């Protein structure tokens, strides 16, 4: 059955007329109404996301514009509930929503379209702005659509009354130890369980329940008011306001003198008599804005005489200001200039906070308003929106660092408030709002400036911030994070229930990836050679393929996997095939080909897996065009060697193709294993013979790449800095690229030592690295997938080391989520299922910086053994957390811990793998990074970088990192050209020859 909530045709016409008026005011192209002709749903993957926002046009036009920018024809404005169809869910599940008609906007032209879809498009995210509360009791047709649906929602209708209940919010803030004005609340509700407050008396919040009105209640109110006003250091002014959750049009706030107790009590009783049962009235202290250093009443805006290229013209700015003045509220906006000099001024800050891809609150913008201190009630109605630097300058704060500290403080308080909403026990899972706006006043309390939270708003109150966006020439800025959240949740919704086959489960270091796949709601099928794989019992189906590690039979093994799927009865249910385990990339591609699913084909992956074969292919076959650089220009010289004579011929004499030093590599290795720097011909011959012996003596080791019976080749040694470029491609399009800086390796071997994300290189150099990685991957036949491309930025520009045609390992996936808010695991599974991932931009902005060190048994084992279990794979998850102190420190935010192995191994240096990575979030000195940091500079005094949340309770030693690692961590990552001071809180350095010991204080007790 399907259900439509019908509205009158006149209502739809009225909403369309309002939309056209908004477009005209903003000087945007008129609406192109194509609804008379139905559009067939294109089954191209780029159109599967369907975000529906049920709302009037004015508050959501910026959201529509930003949605078009991030993902074409995917974010729709629904002006009437009849444009949405509600159907029963599949297999008796929750209902689904489908879009029949909607308005969307083209990014490049800002052209809006009204289209009708047949069949209707399945909605992947629903934002209902038309509720009884948001419409002041006039409409509620969106509420029925939002009930009991499987579709992700911006705000649960059951939670909306709580968010609009100021008393409930105050109780929440009290439990979270947040600052708000001292309050006594009078509740018309008899349900005392609604407002959960800590036990004991509280000076900041007191609740008086008045379910029935009468002489007795009046006396109780008078007594409570008198007690509140007699408190020591009470402000001279108090505020009486409606507590909600019922909303009324207009301003319902009264400012009274605290000394006039009878008048205050009378006003409280008067207002209390007018509110319905279940609502409340608040009496709170008036928070005085922090004093200005030099208060200026002038409200002029600085407008550049000439607009920046591509920026708004002066005429556009003035038009935007005119649009700000025209407000939707009943009361007109006005600037009372004649009274501006008669009253001291106050200002408030509105911070917009949205959940990111991990469900963490992240503040995005702060908008300020200046109002007369005596009458600040109608905040956004009577103030021109301005930026924080503007209002700080008006208050005499000119120092940019001080302004930035203020912004961080406001963001921190707003994010903390949103976090309280998300984790409150009264809110069901996924019921908390995706976006809120927090009103904060920087007030004075006991001579200290404190951010007081005075009100919360849900997703229907972002217009004040959007007006500043238009003034600043960046429409959509305030809603950008919310739109990204819409797209994140839409992608999760599309992936929920998909069946994904993973060929090769990998080792213990892949466990986190399985956890992420489980969180995405995927039905995971694992094909692996180990019949006792650690996740065997956690997947939907397990397929045991004993010969999977014999890579001479990858084609036959692919057929065995397909046969096993058919025997399990799920061959036709598989939506995608993927792997994150390097040795299985070829057989995985072959399985996808046999099943006819999305992928690159086995031939492309076979070529990419052989490092020498790919290098020669790119060097010999891939030429550039008139507009693009040839992939061959990014590739280093290499030559295959089959015996000692080949080595000598390649490095010496008239036939020499290589110069020394050179790099000796295994064609099918991984993780830098089996790779060594050779400086002389004799050394090269010796190392070649040793490597051949290793290859012939252990042909079954997937971990070192020896299971491919790989060959050996010599590669040109590249100078410069090493970088990981993790790229996501879909049908040849570059979706996103993340660049990480790597420290110098443990020469003469190439095991990684340290890293930093995002890259600290110049933006032009980062783009060059990305261009090289993309060109080489595409030229090599890799058009769809997530790839880890290892590059070097040399004195001649970016050069390719190798392409790992699968997801990057180690810490990269975890860090990408933390730093860029990009879920690479989801990208991998989406591409495998033929769904284009949506990322905010090709080079997404970073929200923090991570630095980390690789830990090896040979260097750090003695210290690690005291704090990690002997073998984490044989114990439960709970025991891993209890016995591994680093996991506990990761959980409380002290550091970032990435496990890579089940136990501290004992391999030779050439084949040693990292046990784990230990990292931190850091704050950098704001100094630019030099273009080419070589030759190695002479150390001189320099800056340092800081790690946060470290408590000096124990000294943990990281042994024998090279001086080059120190140089990279400070020179490349701290923005300083000549480092000598490497400063952690509570740490010291002891240098001896070319190595040092870093004594780092961690909370290990």
């Amino acid at each position: 059955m399907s259900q439509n909530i019908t509205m009158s045709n006149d209502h739809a016409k009225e909403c369309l007329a309002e939309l056209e008026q908004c477009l005209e005011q903003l000087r945007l192209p008129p609406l192109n109404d194509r609804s008379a002709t139905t559009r067939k749903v294109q089954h191209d993957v780029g159109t599967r996301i369907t975000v529906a926002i049920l709302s009037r046009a004015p508050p959501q036009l910026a959201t529509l514009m930003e949605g078009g920018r991030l993902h074409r024809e995917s974010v729709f404005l629904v002006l009437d509930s009849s444009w949405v169809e509600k159907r029963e869910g599949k297999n008796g599940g929750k209902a689904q929503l489908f879009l029949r008609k909607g308005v969307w906007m083209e990014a490049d032209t800002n052209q809006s379209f009204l289209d009708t879809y047949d069949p209707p498009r399945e909605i992947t995210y629903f934002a209902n702005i038309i509720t009884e509360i948001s419409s002041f009791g006039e409409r509620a047709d969106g509420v029925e659509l939002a009930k009991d649906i499987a579709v992700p929602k911006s705000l649960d209708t059951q939670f909306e009354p709580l968010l609009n209940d100021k008393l409930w919010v105050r109780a929440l803030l009290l439990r979270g130890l947040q600052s708000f004005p001292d309050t006594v609340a009078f509740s018309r509700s008899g349900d005392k369980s609604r407002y959960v407050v800590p036990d004991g008396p509280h000076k900041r919040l007191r609740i008086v329940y008045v379910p029935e009105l009468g002489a007795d209640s009046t006396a109780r109110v008078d007594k409570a008011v008198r007690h509140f006003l007699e408190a020591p250091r009470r402000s001279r002014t108090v505020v009486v306001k409606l507590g909600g959750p019922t909303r009324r049009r207009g301003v319902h706030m009264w400012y009274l003198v605290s000394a006039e107790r009878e008048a205050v009590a009378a006003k409280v009783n008067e207002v209390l008599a007018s509110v319905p049962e279940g609502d409340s009235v608040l009496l709170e202290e008036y928070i005085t804005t922090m004093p200005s250093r030099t208060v200026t009443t002038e409200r002029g805006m600085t407008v550049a005489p000439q607009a920046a290229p591509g920026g708004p013209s002066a005429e556009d700015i003035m038009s935007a200001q005119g649009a700000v003045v025209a407000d939707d509220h009943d009361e007109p906006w006005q600037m009372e200039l004649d009274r501006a000099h008669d009253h001291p001024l106050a200002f408030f800050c509105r911070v917009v906070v949205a959940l990111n891809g991990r469900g963490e609150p992240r503040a995005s913008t702060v908008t300020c308003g200046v109002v007369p201190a005596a009458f600040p009630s109608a905040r956004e109605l009577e103030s021109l929106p301005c930026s924080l630097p503007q209002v700080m300058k008006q208050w005499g704060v000119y120092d940019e660092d001080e302004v930035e500290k203020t912004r961080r403080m406001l963001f921190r308080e707003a994010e903390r408030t949103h976090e309280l909403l998300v984790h409150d026990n009264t809110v069901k899972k996924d019921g908390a709002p995706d976006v809120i706006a927090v009103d904060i006043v920087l007030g004075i309390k006991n001579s200290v400036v404190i951010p007081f939270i005075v009100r919360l708003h849900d997703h229907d109150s972002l217009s004040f911030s959007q007006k500043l966006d238009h003034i600043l020439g960046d429409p959509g800025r305030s809603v950008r994070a919310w739109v990204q959240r819409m797209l994140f949740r839409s992608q999760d919704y599309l992936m929920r229930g998909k069946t994904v086959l993973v060929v090769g489960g990998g080792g213990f270091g892949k466990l986190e990836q399985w956890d992420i796949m489980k969180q995405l709601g995927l039905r995971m099928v694992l094909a692996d050679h180990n019949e006792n794989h650690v996740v065997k019992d956690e997947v939907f189906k397990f397929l045991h393929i004993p010969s999977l590690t014999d890579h001479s039979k990858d084609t036959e093994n692919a057929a065995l996997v397909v046969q096993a799927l058919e025997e399990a009865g799920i061959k036709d249910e598989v939506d995608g095939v993927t792997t994150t385990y390097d040795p299985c990339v070829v057989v995985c591609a072959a399985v996808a080909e046999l099943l006819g699913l999305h992928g690159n084909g086995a031939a492309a992956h076979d070529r990419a897996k052989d490092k020498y074969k790919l290098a020669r292919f790119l060097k010999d076959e891939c030429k550039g065009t008139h507009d693009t650089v040839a992939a061959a220009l990014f590739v280093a010289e290499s030559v295959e060697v089959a015996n000692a004579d080949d080595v000598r011929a390649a490095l010496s004499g008239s036939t020499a193709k290589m110069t020394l030093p050179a790099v000796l590599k295994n064609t099918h290795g991984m993780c830098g294993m089996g790779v060594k720097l050779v400086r002389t011909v004799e050394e090269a011959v010796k190392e070649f013979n040793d490597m051949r012996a290793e290859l012939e003596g252990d042909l079954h080791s997937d971990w070192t790449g020896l299971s491919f019976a790989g060959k050996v080749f010599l590669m040109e040694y590249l100078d410069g800095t090493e970088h990981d470029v993790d790229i996501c491609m879909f049908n040849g399009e570059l979706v996103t690229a993340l660049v990480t800086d790597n420290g110098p390796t443990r020469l003469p071997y190439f095991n990684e030592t340290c890293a930093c994300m995002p890259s600290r290189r110049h933006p032009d150099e980062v783009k060059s690295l990305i261009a090289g990685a993309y060109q080489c991957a595409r030229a090599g036949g890799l058009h769809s997938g997530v790839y880890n491309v290892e590059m070097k930025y040399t004195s001649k520009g970016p050069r390719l080391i190798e392409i790992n045609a699968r997801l990057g390992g180690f810490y990269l996936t975890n860090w990408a989520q933390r730093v860029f808010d990009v879920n690479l695991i989801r990208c991998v599974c989406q591409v495998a299922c033929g769904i284009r991932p949506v990322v905010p931009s090709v080079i997404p902005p970073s929200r923090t910086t991570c630095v980390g060190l690789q830990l090896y048994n040979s260097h750090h084992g003695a210290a690690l053994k005291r704090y990690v279990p002997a073998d984490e794979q044989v114990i439960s998850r709970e025991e891993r957390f209890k016995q591994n102190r680093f996991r506990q420190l990761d959980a409380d935010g002290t550091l970032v811990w990435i496990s890579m192995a089940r136990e501290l191994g004992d391999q030779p240096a050439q084949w040693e793998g990292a046990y784990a990575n230990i990292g931190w979030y850091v704050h950098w000195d704001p100094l630019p990074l030099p273009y080419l940091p070589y030759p190695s500079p002479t150390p001189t005094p320099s800056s340092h970088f800081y790690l946060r949340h470290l408590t000096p309770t124990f000294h943990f030693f990281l042994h024998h990192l090279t001086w080059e690692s120190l140089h990279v961590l400070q020179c490349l990552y701290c923005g300083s050209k000549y480092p000598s001071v490497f400063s952690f809180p509570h740490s010291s350095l002891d240098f001896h020859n070319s190595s040092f010991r870093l004594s780092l204080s961690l909370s290990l007790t």
Side-chain angles (χ1 to χ4, degrees), residues 681-971:
V681 176
E682 292 73 18
E683 182 185 10
V685 171
K686 178 183 181 302
E687 293 300 331
F688 169 81
N689 291 329
D690 291 346
M691 188 176 291
R692 287 299 303 173
E694 291 279 1
L695 290 171
E696 294 171 358
D698 189 3
L699 299 180
H700 303 290
S701 174
D702 262 355
W703 178 239
T704 56
L706 300 179
S707 55
F708 285 87
K711 300 177 181 179
V712 178
F713 71 104
L714 284 164
M715 178 180 170
E716 172 190 359
Y717 176 73
L718 301 170
D719 67 354
T721 55
E722 186 174 335
H723 307 270
D724 280 305
V725 184
D726 292 279
I727 60 175
C728 175
M729 297 173 62
F730 187 82
N731 290 344
E733 175 194 358
L734 181 61
V735 177
T736 192
L738 316 176
V739 180
T740 305
D741 296 337
N742 294 328
T745 58
R746 300 165 65 197
L747 294 176
Y749 307 111
F750 287 83
N751 311 96
E752 190 172 323
T753 61
C754 52
C756 170
M757 179 189 286
S759 173
R760 294 287 293 169
R761 298 214 65 111
H762 189 278
D764 291 349
E765 295 172 328
V766 170
K767 292 176 182 177
S768 296
L769 287 165
I770 293 172
Y774 173 61
Q775 282 286 92
C776 292
R778 189 171 183 179
L782 302 172
H783 56 76
S784 292
V786 177
Y787 312 122
N788 172 246
V789 185
E790 296 180 29
M791 304 282 291
K792 262 199 167 184
Y793 199 96
T794 73
S795 52
K796 298 179 182 179
R799 291 293 185 272
L800 175 71
I801 299 176
E802 62 189 44
I803 298 177
N804 301 305
R806 41 75 183 165
L807 181 70
F810 295 158
Y811 48 84
L812 291 168
T813 300
N814 186 292
W815 282 16
Q817 182 85 67
R818 296 172 186 262
V819 174
F820 294 106
D821 203 16
V822 174
N823 189 333
L824 290 176
I825 294 291
R826 181 174 62 193
C827 291
V828 167
C829 296
Q830 284 178 291
V831 173
C833 294
I835 299 175
R836 181 193 181 278
V838 179
V839 180
S841 59
V842 173
I843 306 179
S846 61
R847 65 175 183 85
T848 187
T849 298
C850 273
V851 295
L853 303 172
Q854 297 281 82
L855 303 181
Y856 294 89
N857 181 46
S858 59
H859 284 182
H860 317 111
L864 286 169
K865 287 175 182 176
R866 289 177 288 176
Y867 302 105
V868 299
D871 187 345
E872 288 200 310
Q873 185 165 310
V874 299
I875 58 178
S876 66
R877 291 176 183 266
E878 293 76 14
E879 284 301 316
R880 288 176 206 151
F881 185 82
K882 290 180 181 179
Q883 298 183 34
N884 188 325
R885 180 59 179 146
F886 296 102
R887 291 186 182 273
Q888 300 167 29
L889 293 172
D890 179 90
D892 65 23
T894 300
L895 50 80
V896 180
W897 175 260
I898 310 294
S899 289
M900 301 178 190
R902 59 187 289 182
E903 58 187 345
L904 288 163
D906 190 21
Q907 303 96 352
Q910 187 171 1
W911 305 100
E912 184 178 20
Y915 171 73
N917 181 281
I918 183 171
W920 299 268
Y921 299 119
V922 300
H923 299 295
W924 302 113
D925 291 332
L927 298 176
L929 182 69
Y931 255 80
L932 295 172
Y934 34 75
S936 297
T938 303
T940 60
S942 175
S943 57
H944 22 263
F945 71 87
Y946 304 89
L947 308 182
R948 64 179 188 174
H949 305 311
L950 297 186
T951 305
T953 55
F954 186 83
H955 283 189
F956 173 70
F957 296 101
L958 302 175
H959 294 275
H960 304 304
L961 291 177
T962 62
W963 161 254
E964 288 83 3
S965 297
L966 170 64
H967 170 68
V968 168
L969 277 174
Q970 186 163 6
C971 177

Side-chain angles (χ1 to χ4, degrees), residues 293-351:
R293 298 177 186 176
T294 49
V295 175
T296 316
T297 56
E298 182 181 351
R299 298 295 294 120
M301 286 200 318
T302 302
V303 180
Q306 183 176 1
S313 64
E315 185 180 1
D316 291 332
I317 292 176
M318 297 308 296
S319 174
Q321 293 184 36
V324 169
V325 174
D327 199 272
D328 305 321
H329 298 276
D330 294 339
E331 299 186 16
W333 177 94
Q334 60 179 353
M335 279 294 295
E336 298 181 311
L337 293 176
D338 57 327
R339 298 172 55 188
H341 295 277
D342 299 332
H343 302 281
L345 297 177
F347 73 90
F348 69 96
C349 305
R350 180 166 296 178
V351 183

Side-chain angles (χ1 to χ4, degrees), residues 593-638:
E593 273 190 317
L594 292 175
L595 294 175
L597 297 174
H598 195 254
N600 300 301
H605 279 280
D606 181 67
R607 180 168 53 233
K609 180 59 184 168
D610 189 324
K611 304 179 193 308
Y612 177 73
K613 184 188 293 185
L614 176 64
R616 292 317 318 167
F617 176 80
L618 295 177
K619 199 76 174 174
D620 300 336
E621 304 294 333
C622 301
K623 308 302 179 183
T625 66
H626 180 73
D627 298 316
T628 61
V629 177
L633 295 179
F634 295 103
V635 182
E637 281 295 339
S638 58

Side-chain angles (χ1 to χ4, degrees), residues 214-267:
D216 182 60
S217 65
T218 301
R220 291 171 58 204
V221 170
D222 292 346
K223 181 179 179 181
V225 170
R226 184 173 64 255
H227 184 269
F228 177 78
L229 297 178
E230 290 175 350
R233 297 186 180 181
R234 178 61 65 216
S235 60
R236 289 182 297 175
T237 305
V238 292
V239 186
V240 177
K241 62 171 65 172
L242 298 180
T246 305
R247 289 172 65 178
R248 302 183 188 179
R249 293 190 183 276
V251 178
H252 300 278
M253 256 182 237
W254 297 269
Y255 293 84
L256 304 168
V257 179
S258 57
E260 300 175 357
R261 299 172 186 174
E262 293 182 359
V264 175
K267 175 56 70 173

Side-chain angles (χ1 to χ4, degrees), residues 972-984:
L972 293 188
Y973 306 159
C974 300
S976 175
K977 190 173 183 180
Y978 303 111
S980 67
V981 179
F982 188 66
S983 175
F984 292 76

